[in-house]
Structure formats: structure tokens, C-alpha cells
């Protein structure tokens, strides 16, 4: 009995252990199983419980556990489920037992779609090596529920003395013990009686072991049985509660049908009557005179009366004679003191024979006394065998729940046999149709701070009065928000909630309404909130309710992308940041895209919650290194959030991408330039972007024009990989003046930098001496003070030279000290020359020139070095006006004098005036002369003739360079 094909050594051990099942006395393993037998209903699922109740050894582990469910039916034995070493090696298709359950110590076997073949013994065996084992046996019984079929006629006519048969068949049930009983319930008697005239067929066995049985009942129904129902009650083990099936049979009063035989009989009878006319007359007289009172049934009513829906009430009247009858219907509402006539139906004597009428029946057409239009259907009269008559009166009613509930309907039958009349009463119990609530309609996404409408559809109810209450769970409790009852509204939070109703009425008086609650949803108040729509109606015992849960979302706002630095540089790291804010809930996906491709190494941002409004925000950044090719690239910060149908994004295009120019040093070709030989200075400006660039050359700080006088300036443009380059050159033939000139290039690339890029080059011509800068002592020369200006020349190859000083073109002969040429280590000579002089206003803006002449060469090249002294312009000091003589008499001549002193440069303009009169022609101004301070001074005069009274003279001095105006006044 090896129960697995797997030949694992452990398995062998398990098998041996399970097969031998050595005495379990000292085993620590105990199983608990279902109580036997386990009963399972055919085609349903059953569970065979088997669990480890106690085990004190090691813990369970898949490698250390074996489970075997074996099944015995009769003499046959098979395996339902085998589990060893963590492998389910065998299992019935319909058997289920999960490994996880096994490892929890629960070996319960689930059998699905149980059939009769599953009936038998099940053994649950568990083995835990090395020597813990246990087994238990459970019996399984399969039960089958009977299928119950009731056989009957649809309608049975009552009163003909006929018999009816009702059959109740139970089929396919197991176990075979089962029975059926018939019960009759009659409305008038309000009781249920067991029918005893039954016939039970012996149970028959089906091939699958189930049984069939039929219980039949025979009975002869009578008029009183009309309205009865018949039920077959079944008892079987599989029914926990009483089970019955009702027969679909209706009992009706029999109609008279004339058969051929009765036609023949009536012919014979009529012959007999025609023969015996007198006898007939007597018979007729007897017949009319002999009155039989009618039998009146209880008013039959529909099972349920519904507001504004047609209902029929039937009053059966039978077995009366003569055929004279009045059936009246009355209504007595709750508040009415008297019953009111609804309608009346009457059948009178076919001919008026007063002698046969015992009492004259009042038959004046009575009018409807009620305000309602209920009708009595015209009834047909049937004549019975025995000469009596039957009829039924049907009242058609549209009950109104508000008026007619608890009202009484009375059917009164008046017949000559009974002067009192016979009444039957019935009390109306009217039901409304309760509303059907559909699920509350909410918007697919509720947005924070937006208005929301919740719609509660309340359908197909009547009558109209309705109570709607909206609730919400606030602080764990259900609180009403708004109540609506019959047009009146009570809004408990008028600021927050508003309400409206839409209504629709149908022709059958049913109504449908939608109750709509409107409010502004916020995350704080409405996220995860529950709203309830509660509806109360007369048709409902308890209010009906629907609820809806809101999840409020806020969509993220994406700010514009910031770049750091603002003007990104090609090839340098650029950090893009994007702020995403005001979203809810927290879950969000932020992606960076470059031209719709996701950038992989974007940072995962930290999401923070704004404490004020509970919304979330984050700042995502992405580091990129833009290339020239990225000028047109679109960078996107894209956000996906559950509140959004489509992702939102912010875009960034690095339009302001720049690349700084790389400026090489200025080179000279030839490398060692020579006097009067053409040379080219070159500067390479490379890898800049954008293309716009300005290049300017300076020679000794003076901007060079491309007029060809000082050289040819050229530019050549190149473009490589989108970056631009320029080669700027200047070609010239140097003269002695160009020796030691400083050439400077200034490159202005305004997109990348506000400061120009500069390179300088000092042109040193081959074999020429070097002139030092001028030195001044003191450094800041002052007017009227001594100044010494010195310079030196070195690298002179011989002594045959001349040095001279000039002030403008004037050759200076005095104050010059020249040193003797001194031989240096390089075997060249150096000389120092110094000029001493007193600085005066004449030196203002005048060039001082040092000139060097090489006398050894035939063309005697001359080198000039210029300096302009850093002197300032000085405005004049103007003295008070003096008159000579001081007090001239009337008509006496006098002279007004004014001293203008210590100014520089020389240009002064003097205007004398008296009042509005200027004396340009009369005045005289002496030519300014250098004064003791080394500045200019002058005197101005105005000859006048003294007049009577006072005269006001003005002398106005304007110094052009300093733009100083000085005015002096003299009152004579
Ligand atoms: C074992 O599992 C079954 C379902 O798989 C369950 O019905 C039963 O209660 C469990 N038994 C125990 C003891 O946990
Ligand atoms: C039992 O009843 C079923 C259903 O009515 C029927 O199909 C079957 O033939 C019956 N069995 C026997 C043995 O009559």
C-alpha cells in the first residue's frame, strides 16, 4: 500500500509509519475531527474537519509532515489526498486542502459538488517524523433534498358535486424517509385544517439511491370553500424549516351548461307543462310565491389594496328565489357617522304582478352619495337547476390611502324573502407603494473647494407624502443635515448645504423624485465622509436608507520650472526645479521628460503637507547637462494624480543657453617682428554661443578704426557643432612708433557676460632698445612747483645716440640731466635721462616728448615717447572792484579795476555791465601772464564818467574750461 510514486527516503519512512501505525500510546500528537457522521447535501460542498489538537514536539514544517486522507466505501479503499515533504502528490479533483492550512495544523478536507459516490468512511492520518502519528475516522453521508411538484387543476367548479384531486410529488430525495401532508385554509373560517382523505403511493427508488413518493388528496369542495388555498407541507431531514408548496387551484361557482340530455329533458318537461297549462299556472304561482332567501358570501377582496390602483370587491349572492334582488354598496369612512351609498344594482320582477308581490320594493334610482366615482359592474344572473338564482356584484374601487384607509365597505342585499336585507362588511386596509431607492449619484471625482451635488433617486412610490433626511457622520456620530417633509424644509446648516427636489408623476399616480443635496466639498470636512439619504414613507415600516462615501481630491498645481543658473551654460550642470502644490491625496507621480522621453535620474521628491489646508506639495528637481543640441529641447515636469484625467505639466526650453567664448592669447606672426616688416597679430575666440559677438582692437588704449592707417583688421567666422568661433587678425607694417605699443583685443559677448574678455600684446620689435615708463617726482605735479620727469632706455647696442626733450614742438635745452651710457651684462648700454622744470599753467594739456635718435644707422631712426602731465584746470579768483579815484565827482572820469588771478588754462571771458548795458567795447582785459603761483593772472579795466546818484556796475568773469562764472558788483 505505497501511497506515492515518489521514492523519497522520508516518504518511505512516512509510509512505513502510517501503514504500520505502531501503538500510539506515547504519541504526543492528537487530532480533533468533525463529529461523525458529517451530512452533506447533494451537489453542495462539505468539510471534513481534521486538525492537530495537541502537539508538543517540534514545530510543523513542510519537510517534516505527512498527511493522508483515505476513503473506504464498502470494501473499496482509495486515497483522496496525499501530502508528503511539502508536495501534494495525489488529490481528488473535488478535494481541496491548502498547504498553508496544513502548516497551520489544519488538515480539514473540503469536498466540492458532493455526490452519492462520496458516501463512506474517511480516515485522516497525520505523521510527524520520527515517531509522532495519529489518525481519526469520519463518516460522510450524502443527503438529497426532494424536488416538490404539486399537480392540480387550474380551476374547479364548486356546487356540481364534483371531486377534485391534488397531488404532491417528492422526487430524488435521500435518505428515503420523508413525507408530505395537505392543508386547506379557508378565509371565512380563518383556520387551517389537515386533509385526511389522502392516498400515499409507496416510495420508489431511483438508480442513484434517491426516492420518489406522491401524496394525493381527494375532496368535494362546497360553496363555503370558495377562496380556499391548499398547501403541501413536506418534511425531510434536509429541511431545517417547514417547507411547503401551494397548489395553483381556484374554486369557482359552477355555471349551468345544458347538455343534450338536459335539453331533451327540458323538452319533455315543456311538453308536460304545455299539456298541463293550468297545472303550470299553479306551479308558477307556487314558484314565485314560494320565496327562498339568498346566501351571501363574505366580500371577496384582493390580497392587497394599493393606493390609487384598481381593486375589485366581489359579493356572491346565490340560491335565491324569485329573481328579484337589490345589491347596494355603501362606504363608511372613519369620520363618517353614516354609511353612504356608492352604487346600487337592481333586478326587478320581469312583469308587475302586484298580487304575487308580498311587498313592494322601493326602487327609485338612488344616487351616489359619495364624492367618488367607484362603479359597480353589471352582473349576470345565473339560474340554477333548482330554480334558484345566483349572481355576483363587483365593485370597482380606486382607494385613496389618505381618505379610505380603515373605511368600511358594505354590501347590502335586499330580497323579498327578507325585509331586513343581508349585509356584509369589510374594512379597507390600503397600502402605499414604498419608494425604491437607487444608489446615491455622486460626481466621479469630488474636487476640493468645488461644489458637489449628491442625488438620491427615490422612485415609483405612492402616495406622494415623503420625508427625506440627509445625514452625515460627524465626529463618529450620524447627524442630520437637512430634513424635507412635504414641501417644508429644515436646513440645519443653511450656510453649508442647500437642497432641491425634482419630481415626476406617472399617470398611475406613482411618483419619482430626486432629492439633491448641494454643498461645497472640502478635504477637511468631506474626505472619507459618509452621507446618508434616509427616506420615510407610509409604505415603509422603517425608513429606507442609502449612503455614499465621498473622497475629496484636489488637483495639483504645477508652477513654472525654475532653472539654476538662470542662464544655463552649455556643457555645465543645470538644475531644473518644479514646485507642485495643493494636491490631495498624497499619492502622486512626478516625472521629468525631455522631448517626451522620461529622464531616468530625476530625484524622488519629498512630499510635505501644508499644515494650514492639509494639501500636499513637493518640489522636484532634475539635473541635466545641456548641449547645443538641447536648444530646441523641451523639458517637462509632468504630474499624474488621481484627480486628473490627463497629466499636468510645466515646460522649460533652454532658449537662453549660452557658451562663454574661449579667448586665446594674441600671437604674432612672425614670432619675432621686425621694423618695417609686415606682421599679423592673431587672436582666436572659440566655442561661444549665441553667434552675436563684438570684437574691438585697441592700440595704446585707443580704439582702432579699420581705416587702414594703423593696420588691416579682419575677422573670420567658423561654426562647429553649433558653437561659433572667430579668428580676429590685425595686419600692419610696424614703424618705430609701433615699437612697444600695446595692442589689446576686447571681446564683448553680451549674452554670456557683461564684462568684456580681454587679451593684451606688447609689440616688441627685434633689435630695438627698450624704453621704460616715465617716472615723475613728485608723482602728482603741482603748479609753481618743481617736477622731475625721468626715463631710461636699455638694450642699446652702441653709444652713438642722441636723446632730447620737447615741450610740444619746443626743444628744451635746460634742466636736462643725461647719464653716461652704461654697459650691462648683456653687453648693451643703458642710459637715464631726467628733465627738471617748474610746472606752470603753460604745461596744462601740453605734451612732453622724449626723443631718441640712433645715429649709427644711415636712416637715423627716431623713437618718440610722449607724456602729458596730469594737471588740473583751476578756476580764477576775482578781486573786489576798485574805483580810482575812489569818490569821483559828477562828470569826473574814473576807472574801475578788477583783478582776475590764479587760473588755468588761459581762456577767460570778462563782461562789464551797468544795469542792462554791457560795455564790451569800452572794457579792456590784459593778456594773462604766469604769476608767482605758476598760474595765469590778469587785470581788467573799465573807464567811466561819474553821474549823479548811484550806479551799479558788474564785472562777470567766465572761465571756459571749468565753466565757472564769478560776478563782482560795485555801487558808485
Ligand atoms: C480548518 O479550516 C477550515 C476551512 O479550511 C475551517 O472551516 C475550520 O474551522 C478550520 N479548523 C480549525 C480547527 O481551525
Ligand atoms: C422520480 O421522479 C422523477 C421526477 O419526476 C422522474 O424523472 C423519475 O423517473 C422518477 N423515478 C421513478 C423511479 O419513477
Amino acid at each position: 500500500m505505497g501511497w506515492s510514486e515518489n521514492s523519497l527516503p522520508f516518504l518511505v519512512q512516512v509510509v512505513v509509519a502510517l501503514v504500520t501505525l505502531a501503538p500510539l500510546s506515547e504519541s504526543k500528537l492528537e487530532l480533533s475531527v468533525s463529529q461523525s457522521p458529517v451530512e452533506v447535501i447533494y451537489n453542495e460542498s462539505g468539510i471534513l474537519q481534521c486538525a492537530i489538537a495537541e502537539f508538543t514536539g517540534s514545530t510543523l514544517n513542510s519537510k517534516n509532515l505527512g498527511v493522508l486522507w483515505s476513503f473506504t466505501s464498502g470494501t473499496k479503499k482509495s486515497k483522496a489526498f496525499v501530502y508528503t515533504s511539502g508536495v501534494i502528490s495525489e488529490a481528488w479533483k473535488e478535494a481541496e486542502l491548502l498547504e498553508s492550512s496544513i502548516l497551520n495544523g489544519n488538515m480539514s478536507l473540503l469536498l466540492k459538488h458532493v455526490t452519492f459516490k462520496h458516501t463512506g468512511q474517511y480516515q485522516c492520518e497525520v505523521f510527524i517524523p520520527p515517531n509522532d502519528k495519529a489518525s481519526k475516522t469520519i463518516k460522510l453521508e450524502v443527503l438529497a433534498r426532494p424536488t416538490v411538484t404539486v399537480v392540480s387543476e387550474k380551476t374547479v367548479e364548486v356546487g356540481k358535486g364534483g371531486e377534485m384531486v391534488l397531488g404532491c410529488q417528492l422526487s430524488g430525495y435521500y435518505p428515503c424517509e420523508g413525507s408530505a401532508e395537505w392543508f386547506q385554509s379557508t378565509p371565512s373560517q380563518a383556520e387551517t385544517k389537515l386533509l385526511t382523505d389522502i392516498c400515499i403511493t409507496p416510495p420508489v427508488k431511483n438508480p442513484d439511491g434517491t426516492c420518489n413518493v406522491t401524496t394525493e388528496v381527494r375532496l368535494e369542495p362546497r360553496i363555503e370553500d370558495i377562496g380556499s388555498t391548499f398547501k403541501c407541507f413536506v418534511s425531510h431531514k434536509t429541511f431545517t424549516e417547514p417547507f411547503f408548496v401551494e397548489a395553483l387551484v381556484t374554486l369557482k361557482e359552477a355555471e349551468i351548461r345544458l347538455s343534450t340530455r338536459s335539453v331533451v329533458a327540458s323538452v319533455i318537461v315543456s311538453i308536460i307543462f304545455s299539456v298541463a297549462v293550468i297545472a303550470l299556472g299553479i306551479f308558477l304561482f307556487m314558484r314565485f310565491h314560494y320565496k327562498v332567501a339568498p346566501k351571501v358570501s363574505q366580500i371577496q377582496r384582493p390580497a392587497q389594496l394599493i393606493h390609487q390602483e384598481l381593486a375589485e370587491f366581489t359579493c356572491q349572492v346565490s340560491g335565491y328565489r324569485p329573481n328579484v334582488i337589490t345589491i347596494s354598496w355603501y362606504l363608511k369612512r372613519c369620520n363618517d357617522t353614516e354609511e353612504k351609498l356608492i352604487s346600487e344594482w337592481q333586478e326587478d320582477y320581469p312583469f308587475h304582478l302586484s298580487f304575487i308581490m308580498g311587498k313592494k320594493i322601493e326602487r327609485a334610482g338612488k344616487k351616489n352619495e359619495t364624492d367618488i366615482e367607484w362603479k359597480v359592474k353589471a352582473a349576470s344572473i345565473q339560474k340554477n337547476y333548482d330554480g334558484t338564482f345566483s349572481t355576483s356584484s363587483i365593485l370597482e374601487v380606486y382607494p385613496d390611502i389618505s381618505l379610505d384607509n380603515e373605511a368600511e365597505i358594505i354590501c347590502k342585499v335586499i330580497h323579498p324573502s327578507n325585509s331586513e336585507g343581508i349585509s356584509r362588511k369589510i374594512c379597507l386596509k390600503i397600502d402605499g407603494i414604498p419608494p425604491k431607492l437607487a444608489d446615491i449619484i455622486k460626481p466621479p471625482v469630488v474636487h476640493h473647494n468645488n461644489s458637489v451635488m449628491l442625488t438620491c433617486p427615490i422612485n415609483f412610490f405612492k402616495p406622494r407624502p415623503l420625508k427625506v433626511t440627509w445625514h452625515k457622520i460627524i465626529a463618529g456620530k450620524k447627524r442630520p443635515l437637512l430634513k424635507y417633509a412635504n414641501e417644508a424644509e429644515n436646513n440645519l446648516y443653511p450656510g453649508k448645504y442647500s437642497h432641491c427636489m425634482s419630481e415626476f408623476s406617472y399617470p398611475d399616480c406613482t411618483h419619482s423624485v430626486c432629492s439633491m443635496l448641494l454643498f461645497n466639498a472640502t478635504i477637511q470636512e468631506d474626505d472619507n465622509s459618509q452621507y446618508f439619504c434616509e427616506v420615510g414613507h407610509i409604505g415603509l415600516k422603517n425608513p429606507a436608507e442609502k449612503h455614499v462615501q465621498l473622497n475629496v481630491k484636489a488637483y495639483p498645481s504645477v508652477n513654472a520650472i525654475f532653472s539654476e543658473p538662470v542662464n544655463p551654460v552649455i556643457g555645465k550642470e543645470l538644475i531644473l526645479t518644479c514646485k507642485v502644490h495643493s494636491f490631495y491625496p498624497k499619492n502622486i507621480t512626478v516625472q521629468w521628460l525631455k522631448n517626451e522621453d522620461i529622464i531616468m535620474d530625476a530625484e524622488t521628491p519629498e512630499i510635505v503637507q501644508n499644515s494650514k489646508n492639509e494639501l500636499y506639495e513637493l518640489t522636484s528637481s532634475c539635473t541635466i547637462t545641456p548641449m547645443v543640441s538641447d536648444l530646441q529641447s523641451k523639458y517637462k515636469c509632468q504630474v499624474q494624480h488621481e484627480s486628473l484625467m490627463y497629466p499636468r505639466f510645466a515646460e522649460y526650453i533652454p532658449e537662453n543657453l549660452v557658451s562663454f567664448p574661449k579667448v586665446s592669447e594674441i600671437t604674432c606672426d612672425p614670432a619675432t617682428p621686425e621694423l618695417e616688416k609686415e606682421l599679423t597679430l592673431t587672436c582666436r575666440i572659440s566655442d561661444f554661443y549665441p553667434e552675436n559677438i563684438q570684437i574691438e582692437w585697441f592700440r595704446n588704449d585707443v580704439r582702432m578704426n579699420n581705416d587702414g592707417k594703423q593696420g588691416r583688421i579682419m575677422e573670420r567666422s567658423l561654426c562647429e557643432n553649433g558653437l561659433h568661433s572667430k579668428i580676429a587678425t590685425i595686419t600692419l607694417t610696424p614703424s618705430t612708433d609701433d615699437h612697444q605699443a600695446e595692442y589689446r583685443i576686447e571681446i564683448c559677448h553680451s549674452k554670456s557676460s557683461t564684462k568684456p574678455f580681454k587679451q593684451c600684446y606688447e609689440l616688441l620689435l627685434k633689435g630695438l632698445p627698450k624704453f621704460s615708463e616715465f617716472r615723475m617726482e613728485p608723482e602728482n605735479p603741482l603748479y609753481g612747483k618743481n617736477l622731475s620727469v625721468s626715463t631710461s632706455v636699455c638694450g642699446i647696442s652702441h653709444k652713438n645716440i642722441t636723446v632730447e626733450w620737447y615741450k610740444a614742438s619746443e626743444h628744451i635745452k635746460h634742466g636736462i640731466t643725461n647719464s653716461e651710457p652704461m654697459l650691462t651684462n648683456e653687453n648693451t648700454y643703458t642710459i637715464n635721462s631726467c628733465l627738471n622744470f617748474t610746472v606752470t599753467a603753460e604745461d596744462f594739456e601740453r605734451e612732453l616728448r622724449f626723443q631718441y635718435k640712433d645715429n649709427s644707422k644711415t636712416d637715423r631712426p627716431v623713437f618718440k615717447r610722449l607724456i602729458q602731465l596730469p594737471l588740473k584746470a583751476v578756476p580764477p579768483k576775482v578781486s573786489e572792484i576798485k574805483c580810482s579815484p575812489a569818490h569821483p565827482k559828477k562828470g569826473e572820469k574814473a576807472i574801475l579795476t578788477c583783478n582776475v588771478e590764479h587760473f588755468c588754462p588761459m581762456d577767460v571771458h570778462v563782461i562789464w555791465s551797468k544795469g542792462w548795458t554791457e560795455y564790451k567795447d569800452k572794457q579792456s582785459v590784459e593778456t594773462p601772464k604766469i604769476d608767482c603761483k605758476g598760474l595765469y593772472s590778469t587785470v581788467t579795466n573799465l573807464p567811466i564818467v561819474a553821474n549823479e546818484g548811484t550806479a551799479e556796475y558788474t564785472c562777470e568773469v567766465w572761465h571756459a574750461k571749468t565753466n565757472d562764472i564769478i560776478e563782482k558788483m560795485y555801487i558808485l
Side-chain angles (χ1 to χ4, degrees):
M1 198 187 127
W3 42 282
S4 172
E5 271 63 57
N6 293 352
S7 53
L8 299 160
F10 163 70
L11 181 64
V12 173
Q13 203 182 353
V14 172
V15 170
V16 170
L18 287 173
V19 168
T20 52
L21 272 182
L24 301 173
S25 53
E26 48 333 293
S27 172
K28 291 164 275 176
L29 181 62
E30 281 213 20
L31 298 178
S32 75
V33 294
S34 315
Q35 229 183 347
S36 201
V38 171
E39 291 175 341
V40 184
I41 291 175
Y42 181 80
N43 207 25
E44 289 185 4
S45 299
I47 190 144
L48 298 167
Q49 303 262 18
C50 176
I52 295 180
E54 205 186 313
F55 177 57
T56 49
S58 57
T59 51
L60 294 181
N61 119 22
S62 63
K63 295 273 167 263
N64 195 25
L65 187 61
V67 178
L68 166 63
W69 275 97
S70 50
F71 167 66
T72 318
S73 168
T75 52
K76 274 201 287 177
K77 194 161 182 183
S78 63
K79 283 159 285 176
F81 183 87
V82 184
Y83 173 86
T84 38
S85 314
V87 180
I88 297 171
S89 54
E90 248 182 287
W92 283 352
K93 259 208 323 278
E94 61 272 32
E96 191 181 286
L97 171 46
L98 299 180
E99 187 179 17
S100 57
S101 168
I102 295 175
L103 295 178
N104 279 333
N106 186 344
M107 283 70 183
S108 301
L109 188 72
L110 176 73
L111 289 177
K112 291 183 275 189
H113 303 292
V114 169
T115 63
F116 293 108
K117 73 171 190 208
H118 292 113
T119 313
Q121 301 266 357
Y122 288 81
Q123 191 179 40
C124 169
E125 295 176 41
V126 178
F127 174 54
I128 302 168
N131 37 28
D132 288 303
K133 52 209 140 183
S135 81
K136 284 258 170 93
T137 305
I138 311 164
K139 214 171 137 188
L140 177 82
E141 271 179 17
V142 180
L143 311 181
R145 253 188 209 130
T147 310
V148 182
T149 321
V150 163
V151 186
S152 73
E153 285 169 78
K154 260 200 161 155
T155 51
V156 173
E157 292 190 337
V158 178
K160 285 196 301 189
E163 196 180 55
M164 72 185 258
V165 179
L166 300 168
C168 183
Q169 188 190 49
L170 314 187
S171 55
Y173 61 94
Y174 186 85
C176 281
E177 294 93 55
S179 65
E181 281 175 320
W182 278 102
F183 285 89
Q184 178 182 10
S185 18
T186 315
S188 56
Q189 284 157 358
E191 68 163 46
T192 315
K193 76 175 182 227
L194 174 68
L195 303 177
T196 46
D197 191 6
I198 55 167
C199 165
I200 304 172
T201 61
V204 289
K205 262 219 157 93
N206 289 313
D208 62 359
T210 61
C211 294
N212 288 7
V213 76
T214 304
T215 305
E216 276 185 357
V217 66
R218 278 163 202 284
L219 67 163
E220 259 176 73
R222 283 165 298 164
I223 292 279
E224 300 90 87
D225 294 325
I226 289 177
S228 293
T229 55
F230 299 90
K231 286 176 189 158
C232 171
F233 276 82
V234 180
S235 355
H236 188 256
K237 199 169 184 175
T238 54
F239 292 123
T240 48
E241 281 170 29
F243 179 84
F244 67 85
V245 176
E246 190 176 327
L248 296 167
V249 62
T250 320
L251 300 185
K252 260 189 17 180
E253 202 169 349
E255 283 170 33
I256 309 272
R257 271 186 222 94
L258 297 178
S259 62
T260 7
R261 200 183 287 176
S262 62
V263 171
V264 172
S266 59
V267 168
I268 294 163
V269 168
S270 58
I271 292 165
I272 292 165
F273 278 149
S274 60
V275 171
V277 179
I278 300 158
L280 177 69
I282 295 161
F283 176 79
L284 278 173
F285 175 78
M286 282 301 290
R287 189 158 183 164
F288 287 117
H289 195 70
Y290 182 66
K291 293 165 187 163
V292 180
K295 285 187 199 121
V296 181
S297 75
Q298 290 296 335
I299 298 174
Q300 289 169 25
R301 45 161 279 178
Q304 201 185 13
L305 290 177
I306 291 169
H307 175 71
Q308 293 296 350
E309 256 173 43
L310 173 67
E312 285 185 352
F313 290 86
T314 312
C315 191
Q316 303 254 13
V317 184
S318 56
Y320 57 90
R321 196 169 62 200
N323 186 16
V324 172
I325 201 146
T326 305
I327 304 175
S328 315
W329 289 90
Y330 293 89
L331 172 70
K332 189 182 170 204
R333 286 180 171 153
C334 285
N335 301 332
D336 293 348
T337 46
E338 271 180 27
E339 46 203 48
K340 288 179 182 167
L341 180 71
I342 303 167
S343 192
E344 193 180 68
W345 179 84
Q346 210 168 49
E347 181 68 31
D348 209 343
Y349 288 101
F351 41 90
H352 290 269
L353 291 169
S354 51
F355 66 98
I356 50 169
M357 286 190 335
K359 190 181 164 197
K360 197 171 177 183
I361 292 171
E362 236 181 283
R363 52 162 311 197
K366 277 198 189 163
K367 288 234 174 95
N368 186 349
E369 297 168 358
T370 61
D371 50 356
I372 45 181
E373 290 190 13
W374 295 354
K375 275 184 210 143
V376 173
K377 266 194 189 168
S380 61
I381 297 173
Q382 289 155 17
K383 196 172 179 187
N384 301 331
Y385 293 115
D386 56 359
T388 60
F389 297 88
S390 298
T391 191
S392 55
S393 177
I394 298 170
L395 178 68
E396 283 184 347
V397 162
Y398 287 89
D400 188 298
I401 196 163
S402 56
L403 299 170
D404 303 322
N405 207 13
E406 310 287 329
E408 279 179 347
I409 282 193
I410 298 126
C411 173
K412 203 175 238 176
V413 178
I414 295 173
H415 190 259
S417 63
N418 183 339
S419 58
E420 293 290 286
I422 307 162
S423 289
R424 293 284 183 263
K425 259 189 211 171
I426 194 163
C427 186
L428 299 188
K429 171 92 189 58
I430 301 160
D431 293 324
I433 297 184
K436 289 177 186 69
L437 263 63
D439 284 339
I440 294 176
I441 302 162
K442 64 170 179 180
V445 178
V446 178
H447 287 296
H448 174 59
N449 248 336
N450 277 14
S451 67
V452 179
M453 184 164 80
L454 299 181
T455 305
C456 181
I458 306 161
N459 291 325
F460 313 124
F461 58 90
K462 63 181 172 184
R464 191 158 168 273
L466 193 72
K467 233 189 241 178
V468 181
T469 312
W470 282 91
H471 295 274
K472 184 188 176 183
I473 303 238
I474 300 171
K477 272 189 193 158
K478 202 164 153 186
R479 301 261 163 82
L481 307 173
L482 191 134
K483 287 180 186 165
Y484 170 92
N486 309 328
E487 319 288 332
E489 213 174 86
N490 178 13
N491 192 339
L492 301 168
Y493 299 86
K496 167 115 180 158
Y497 296 97
S498 61
H499 179 251
C500 64
M501 278 274 204
S502 78
E503 184 164 350
F504 189 75
S505 301
Y506 300 91
D508 67 346
C509 293
T510 56
H511 301 270
S512 286
V513 301
C514 281
S515 168
M516 288 166 277
L517 187 70
L518 267 148
F519 58 95
N520 195 47
T522 61
I523 286 164
Q524 296 82 352
E525 289 182 34
D526 301 302
D527 188 40
N528 266 324
S529 61
Q530 302 255 17
Y531 278 87
F532 294 80
C533 170
E534 185 192 282
V535 177
H537 185 260
I538 195 162
L540 287 169
K541 260 193 214 152
N542 297 315
E545 189 180 75
K546 282 278 174 186
H547 81 271
V548 74
Q549 171 152 351
L550 292 193
N551 289 311
V552 184
K553 291 167 190 179
Y555 31 59
S557 299
V558 183
N559 284 2
I561 295 175
F562 280 113
S563 70
E564 174 60 39
V566 178
N567 287 330
V569 178
I570 290 171
K572 295 236 169 95
E573 267 194 0
L574 169 66
I575 301 170
L576 299 181
T577 48
C578 172
K579 185 170 176 182
V580 181
H581 61 93
S582 311
F583 58 90
Y584 188 92
K586 195 175 179 179
N587 265 348
I588 198 161
T589 313
V590 180
Q591 282 178 331
W592 284 89
L593 297 127
K594 175 184 170 182
N595 297 334
E596 310 300 328
D597 296 328
I598 293 170
I599 301 175
M600 294 318 289
D601 51 357
E603 268 176 53
T604 347
E606 191 198 347
I607 301 175
V608 291
Q609 191 168 28
N610 187 323
S611 56
K612 257 187 248 159
N613 54 12
E614 294 181 27
L615 301 178
Y616 291 98
E617 56 188 47
L618 62 88
T619 305
S620 175
S621 61
C622 172
T623 308
I624 56 168
T625 308
M627 290 297 154
V628 188
S629 53
D630 290 332
L631 274 164
Q632 303 303 324
S633 295
K634 268 186 197 169
Y635 288 91
K636 267 191 196 179
C637 168
Q638 182 170 291
V639 173
Q640 269 164 317
H641 188 256
E642 57 197 83
S643 65
L644 296 173
M645 198 113 77
Y646 304 103
R648 282 195 166 185
F649 57 83
E651 225 173 46
Y652 173 82
I653 302 173
E655 291 162 315
N656 297 331
L657 213 53
V658 295
S659 177
F660 297 112
K662 289 187 193 116
V663 182
S664 73
E665 290 197 342
I666 298 172
T667 56
C668 182
D669 178 37
T672 329
E674 282 179 50
L675 194 63
E676 304 298 344
K677 286 193 182 152
E678 194 180 70
L679 63 90
T680 305
L681 299 179
T682 308
C683 180
R684 196 183 161 91
I685 304 122
S686 46
D687 295 344
F688 58 90
Y689 187 89
E691 196 182 0
N692 227 336
I693 201 159
Q694 265 139 22
I695 301 174
E696 281 182 346
W697 287 94
F698 292 82
R699 181 182 177 275
N700 289 340
D701 291 331
V702 180
R703 210 179 77 103
M704 293 171 79
N705 295 320
N706 198 10
D707 53 9
K709 278 182 199 158
Q710 293 166 308
R712 269 177 294 127
I713 298 173
M714 288 205 294
E715 282 175 17
R716 202 145 53 84
S717 300
L718 300 169
C719 182
E720 211 178 324
N721 302 329
L723 296 178
H724 298 276
S725 295
K726 268 196 176 173
I727 298 167
T729 59
I730 177 159
T731 309
L732 60 107
T733 309
S735 66
T736 51
D737 284 348
D738 295 315
H739 177 58
Q740 277 195 298
E742 189 202 59
Y743 285 89
R744 190 172 80 233
I745 189 166
E746 281 193 12
I747 294 130
C748 194
H749 190 238
S750 57
K751 290 281 164 161
S752 64
S753 172
T754 49
K755 281 189 201 151
F757 301 84
K758 291 181 192 173
Q759 285 294 349
C760 294
Y761 182 81
E762 189 184 17
L763 184 62
L764 289 173
L765 297 176
K766 188 185 169 189
L768 298 189
K770 265 190 177 172
F771 298 86
S772 75
E773 298 279 317
F774 287 103
R775 287 182 304 276
M776 283 188 289
E777 180 58 41
E779 259 176 56
N780 294 312
L782 297 168
Y783 293 110
K785 296 274 154 72
N786 262 347
L787 174 71
S788 90
V789 181
S790 60
T791 185
S792 63
V793 186
C794 63
I796 313 167
S797 50
H798 55 87
K799 289 182 176 181
N800 191 5
I801 52 159
T802 320
V803 292
E804 285 166 336
W805 289 86
Y806 290 84
K807 273 184 178 172
S809 53
E810 181 199 341
H811 185 196
I812 304 169
K813 305 231 166 80
H814 304 287
I816 299 167
T817 325
N818 286 333
S819 72
E820 276 302 302
M822 290 172 290
L823 199 59
T824 63
N825 298 346
E826 284 110 39
N827 212 14
T828 54
Y829 294 94
T830 300
I831 81 159
N832 292 323
S833 180
C834 184
L835 173 66
N836 268 301
F837 65 100
T838 305
V839 179
T840 67
E842 286 171 349
D843 295 314
F844 179 76
E845 289 188 344
R846 186 160 67 168
E847 270 178 355
L848 199 61
R849 192 166 85 229
F850 174 74
Q851 202 164 298
Y852 166 96
K853 223 186 269 177
D854 186 346
N855 301 325
S856 71
K857 302 239 171 84
T858 46
D859 56 351
R860 293 178 155 213
V862 172
F863 298 88
K864 294 167 198 153
R865 288 292 174 268
L866 300 176
I867 185 173
Q868 207 173 60
L869 298 182
L871 295 171
K872 281 183 195 137
V874 181
K877 290 191 175 68
V878 182
S879 71
E880 295 302 322
I881 299 169
K882 275 181 196 142
C883 186
S884 140
H887 301 288
K889 292 179 184 126
K890 187 189 166 193
E892 197 182 342
K893 283 187 183 169
I895 291 172
L896 297 178
T897 308
C898 188
N899 293 333
V900 183
E901 294 172 311
H902 317 313
F903 58 92
C904 172
M906 200 173 187
D907 296 327
V908 282
H909 300 269
V910 177
I911 298 166
W912 286 91
S913 55
K914 179 185 157 193
W916 294 106
T917 328
E918 289 189 358
Y919 295 108
K920 265 194 192 156
D921 305 332
K922 287 190 182 169
Q923 70 184 43
S924 69
V925 182
E926 281 178 25
T927 313
K929 293 204 180 71
I930 296 292
D931 61 17
C932 58
K933 289 193 176 177
L935 294 165
Y936 289 108
S937 288
T938 187
V939 176
T940 178
N941 294 318
L942 182 72
I944 56 162
V945 179
N947 277 335
E948 218 179 346
T950 56
E952 206 179 272
Y953 289 92
T954 318
C955 176
E956 193 185 281
V957 178
W958 172 51
H959 187 237
K961 188 76 183 182
T962 57
N963 207 17
D964 262 28
I965 296 169
I966 302 148
E967 212 179 67
K968 293 292 168 181
M969 227 153 46
Y970 183 79
I971 299 166
L972 189 69

